[in-house]
Amino acid sequence: MKKIILVILAIVLIITTGIYIIIPSSLQITSQVVIDASDVIASKFLIRENGWDKWWPGTKLNDNRFSFNKLQFDIDKITNSAVNLSFQQNGLKFGSSITYMSSADGMVRVTWYAQTKSSNNPVQRIADYMEARHIEEQNTRILLHLKSFLENIKNAYGYNIYISKVKDPVLLTSTTTFNSYPDMQHIYKIILGLREQAKTQGALETNFPMLNVNVNDEKQFETSLAIPINKVINTTGNSFINQMVPGGNLLVADVNGGPNTIKDAFAQVKVFMKDHRLISPAMPFESLITDRLAEPDTSKWKTKIYYPIF
């Protein structure tokens, strides 16, 4: 009988010792994803206070507290390279951090590291270990949602940005300099003149008018306007034919809104170009889909931004 008891005690001791060896007192969990996005985009949504509102898959409880599948996460501190969070589940209190790092191939690696102390009780230590593994799965799901969000171009940059081809290579163009940003009356007066010039020579307008406004060194507004036409014609006055390469690449952004929205879209397209190592050999332009003279409500304006690229 004593031998049986001793054997049982020995087995219990071996199992208990094994638990302490296999499951350390400090439980660490790591979740990681590689995202096809730049570190600039990752920082935009990770370390900015209003960024989490846009991608978090669960519920925002207040400015610094978020929940996901019954887990509550508190943002304790945000730095230039990391977000420190704390959370607890079934008596386990975790300290954690989310960091990001760009890779050589233009992607970004996001890592969520968390740590907690497990119980000294061997049975509870097993339960703590299982709970930690479950939380690790939850954290991975959250990061996978972030990956899906950031790899959507419109989510990442705020606009639908894509590559198209030059379909209207012949542009009847006019350039005028103004002392201030030209109003719609001046813009559409020039467009009307280009249309009349094309019509007199039997040329057809093939797409919407195009606009580029650039501020020169003298703080003047150099305004280029063009209409795509179906053939080369003789020009008069300050108009000229500008020809693009047929089938050349254009980076396009769809924009709904007025001047401030269009300005922001231009900025985001530039970020996109930098992130994807694209170079523009020529000036960008706006395609005026909405007749801005006829539609005074700028929120209803529809515009396409075009950047020639290679």
Side-chain angles (χ1 to χ4, degrees), residues 150-169:
L150 293 185
E151 289 184 349
N152 180 297
I153 296 298
K154 188 170 184 180
N155 289 339
Y157 296 92
Y159 304 90
N160 186 28
I161 302 174
Y162 52 94
I163 293 177
S164 185
K165 298 291 184 181
V166 173
K167 298 176 182 178
D168 305 291

Side-chain angles (χ1 to χ4, degrees), residues 75-86:
I75 297 177
D76 300 321
K77 184 180 180 181
I78 296 178
T79 68
N80 289 333
S81 59
V83 180
N84 296 330
L85 306 98
S86 58

Side-chain angles (χ1 to χ4, degrees), residues 26-31 85 87 93-98 111-116 133 135-136 139:
S26 178
L27 293 176
Q28 300 174 3
I29 59 177
T30 302
S31 302
L85 306 98
F87 57 94
K93 296 181 179 181
F94 286 84
S96 72
S97 64
I98 300 177
T111 303
W112 192 343
Y113 172 81
Q115 181 174 310
T116 189
R133 298 283 73 81
I135 291 173
E136 186 176 52
N139 291 0

Side-chain angles (χ1 to χ4, degrees), residues 59-63 65-67 72:
T59 303
K60 178 181 179 179
L61 302 177
N62 58 46
D63 287 344
R65 177 171 290 181
F66 296 80
S67 68
Q72 290 188 6

Side-chain angles (χ1 to χ4, degrees), residues 214-255:
N214 179 56
V215 181
N216 62 23
D217 294 337
E218 287 75 34
K219 306 300 180 183
Q220 294 178 313
F221 293 78
E222 294 181 350
T223 304
S224 295
L225 283 152
I227 58 170
I229 56 178
N230 65 334
K231 65 178 183 178
V232 175
I233 63 173
N234 296 321
T235 59
T236 59
N238 67 343
S239 65
F240 57 94
I241 293 294
N242 185 15
Q243 290 187 275
M244 302 179 70
V245 179
N249 288 326
L250 293 170
L251 190 63
V252 187
D254 297 327
V255 186

Side-chain angles (χ1 to χ4, degrees), residues 45-200:
F45 292 96
L46 278 176
I47 65 172
R48 294 187 184 178
E49 292 182 358
N50 61 347
W52 284 56
D53 299 2
K54 297 178 176 63
W55 69 268
W56 183 259
T59 303
K60 178 181 179 179
L61 302 177
N62 58 46
D63 287 344
N64 296 307
R65 177 171 290 181
F66 296 80
S67 68
F68 179 75
N69 283 356
K70 299 181 181 179
L71 270 175
Q72 290 188 6
F73 300 86
D74 289 302
I75 297 177
D76 300 321
K77 184 180 180 181
I78 296 178
T79 68
N80 289 333
S81 59
V83 180
N84 296 330
L85 306 98
S86 58
F87 57 94
Q88 57 182 311
Q89 178 79 350
N90 294 334
L92 289 176
K93 296 181 179 181
F94 286 84
S96 72
S97 64
I98 300 177
T99 59
Y100 64 95
M101 180 178 295
S102 61
S103 61
D105 54 3
M107 296 189 175
V108 63
R109 186 182 304 274
V110 179
T111 303
W112 192 343
Y113 172 81
Q115 181 174 310
T116 189
K117 292 288 185 181
S118 61
S119 173
N120 291 325
N121 182 305
V123 176
Q124 186 59 47
R125 182 169 288 203
I126 294 174
D128 291 346
Y129 176 83
M130 298 301 294
E131 188 64 46
R133 298 283 73 81
H134 172 70
I135 291 173
E136 186 176 52
E137 292 176 0
Q138 298 300 303
N139 291 0
T140 298
R141 288 179 61 188
I142 292 171
L143 290 188
L144 286 173
H145 186 85
L146 174 65
K147 173 182 172 70
S148 176
F149 179 90
L150 293 185
E151 289 184 349
N152 180 297
I153 296 298
K154 188 170 184 180
N155 289 339
Y157 296 92
Y159 304 90
N160 186 28
I161 302 174
Y162 52 94
I163 293 177
S164 185
K165 298 291 184 181
V166 173
K167 298 176 182 178
D168 305 291
V170 181
L171 305 176
L172 178 57
T173 307
S174 176
T175 299
T176 308
T177 300
F178 296 92
N179 291 324
S180 60
Y181 195 96
D183 57 29
M184 290 301 108
Q185 284 75 18
H186 282 101
I187 287 174
Y188 278 92
K189 181 179 180 180
I190 296 172
I191 291 172
L192 180 60
L194 293 173
R195 284 172 170 166
E196 290 176 348
Q197 187 178 158
K199 184 178 180 180
T200 59

